Structures are given as structure tokens and as C-alpha cells.
Amino acid sequence: MLINAKLPFDLNHLSQKDQTLSLAGMNWADYEKLDSQEYLGYRVSYFNGVITLVSPSQNHEVIAEVINYLIVAYCRQTNLLYYPMRSTRLVNKPLAAKEPDVSFSFGARKSIPDLAIEVIFSSGSIDDLKKYKSIGVAEVWFWQDNQITFYQLANDGYTEIANSIFLPNLAARDLESFVNRGFSESPLTIESDFINFIK
């Protein structure tokens, strides 16, 4: 396969650090050769001739899962219809492709999620917004350095917003205080406190 010589990543470091491999000078045909069944556990993206593979660390997955739990809790509490899409491969052939950490559509099942979430631990960057803009995701959240930032897609790109457009009255600053508890607490406790907060 295209990159077998460079895989697998160093599993000894996966609890703390993401393992990332970027391949420049690639094209869409190279990207399509990456079979997700063959590279289970890796998140694969493509943009501007670069294929990036990420094997998320344990901490990365903890934060992503807590965010997922809290979004579901919010939807249940507010009776908002939600459709989880998790890390579905999103594509705008032949320009961009991305697999978010968490994603949802709301109100109805859609081919492109309304909301995508990226956890930036030791991989990824705000440059991922360029990929999401090309794909057309309306709202993107980034967790990085214990902070969550919400972005809304406009005609000229993404602008930072304080409150989610799809989860009304949910502020980034409020959400992050619950998400960051995921390093030391069970999601069950965090979810219970979060529900009491949004009531």
C-alpha cells in the first residue's frame, strides 16, 4: 500500500501524544487509495496536495468523547433532534477531505454535518478550517489547550462566535469548563452536572 513502510505509529506514546504523518506532493487519487478498513484507528485528511494521517492519543479520545456525551445530553434535555455522524469521512472531491473527531447533523439526517468538532492535542491546527470551508460545514468547534472555540461559516470564511448556532444558548466558555473535567472525572458525573447547568 501507499505508506505501509511508515506505519504503524509508535504505540508507546499514544496515551499522551497524537501520532501524525503528513505526506506532501500527493493528489486525490493517492488519497482515495487509503482504505479506511486497512487504516482503522487513523483519521485521514486531504488538502492542497497533502495527506495527513493522525492516530489519536488516549487523552485526545477522552476529550472527544466527553464533548460527544455533552452534545447528546444537551439535545436530550432540549428535545433537539440529533443525528450523530462521529468521524464520517467528509469529501469535496477533488479538493478536500476530512474526518472530524465528532460530528452531528440536527433536525434531519444530512450528508454533510451541521457541526464538526476537532480536538487539537499534538496534531491538527486551525488550518483545518480551510478543509471544512471547502466541504461546507456550517459550524466547527476546536478544543485546544483547555479552551473551546466556536466558528460559524460565512461567505468569506469562518468567524469566531461566542454561542453555538445549532445548540442555542450554549456558550463555548461554559462548555469548556465541563469538558476539561474529563481528564479526572467520569463522564457520568460531568453529564449530570451539565444537565443541571442547562436546565
Side-chain angles (χ1 to χ4, degrees):
M1 190 64 201
L2 183 68
I3 54 174
N4 273 350
K6 301 189 180 190
L7 296 177
F9 295 128
D10 185 352
L11 299 179
N12 293 326
H13 299 288
L14 284 183
S15 66
Q16 301 297 322
K17 291 177 57 178
D18 298 343
Q19 302 288 301
T20 305
L21 175 65
S22 292
L23 303 167
M26 298 290 140
N27 57 40
W28 189 261
D30 295 324
Y31 167 74
E32 289 188 323
K33 291 176 185 175
L34 293 175
D35 184 342
S36 59
Q37 292 301 312
E38 187 171 349
Y39 297 103
L40 286 174
Y42 299 107
R43 308 260 163 77
V44 184
S45 65
Y46 175 84
F47 187 72
N48 200 25
V50 178
I51 296 174
T52 303
L53 291 95
V54 177
S55 183
S57 66
Q58 185 179 64
N59 285 337
H60 183 132
E61 295 289 54
V62 164
I63 293 299
E65 192 63 18
V66 170
I67 293 172
N68 181 69
Y69 272 113
L70 295 182
I71 291 172
V72 170
Y74 178 97
C75 293
R76 288 178 175 163
Q77 186 64 32
T78 60
N79 292 316
L80 175 63
L81 288 178
Y82 69 96
Y83 298 85
M85 300 175 71
R86 295 296 296 185
S87 296
T88 299
R89 183 174 284 194
L90 309 173
V91 299
N92 178 13
K93 183 179 180 178
L95 302 176
K98 190 77 178 80
E99 296 175 8
D101 289 304
V102 179
S103 62
F104 289 88
S105 60
F106 301 102
R109 192 176 302 279
K110 302 165 189 173
S111 58
I112 299 297
D114 296 310
L115 171 63
I117 295 104
E118 285 291 319
V119 174
I120 302 175
F121 230 97
S122 49
S123 66
S125 71
I126 295 300
D127 286 342
D128 284 335
L129 281 175
K130 296 174 183 175
K131 301 171 188 175
Y132 284 119
K133 179 184 176 185
S134 179
I135 294 165
V137 178
E139 185 172 344
V140 178
W141 298 357
F142 281 88
W143 179 97
Q144 184 175 27
D145 297 329
N146 297 320
Q147 293 186 327
I148 294 179
T149 309
F150 293 172
Y151 294 93
Q152 178 181 3
L153 183 60
N155 290 335
D156 56 348
Y158 285 95
T159 56
E160 185 174 339
I161 54 176
N163 295 341
S164 171
I165 57 174
F166 288 103
L167 283 65
N169 302 317
L170 180 61
R173 296 292 79 87
D174 294 331
L175 180 63
E176 74 186 23
S177 66
F178 291 96
V179 171
N180 293 335
R181 290 167 55 183
F183 290 118
S184 59
E185 298 180 45
S186 166
L188 187 63
T189 304
I190 300 167
E191 180 181 342
S192 177
D193 290 346
F194 178 69
I195 289 172
N196 287 331
F197 175 78
I198 63 175
K199 279 182 178 178

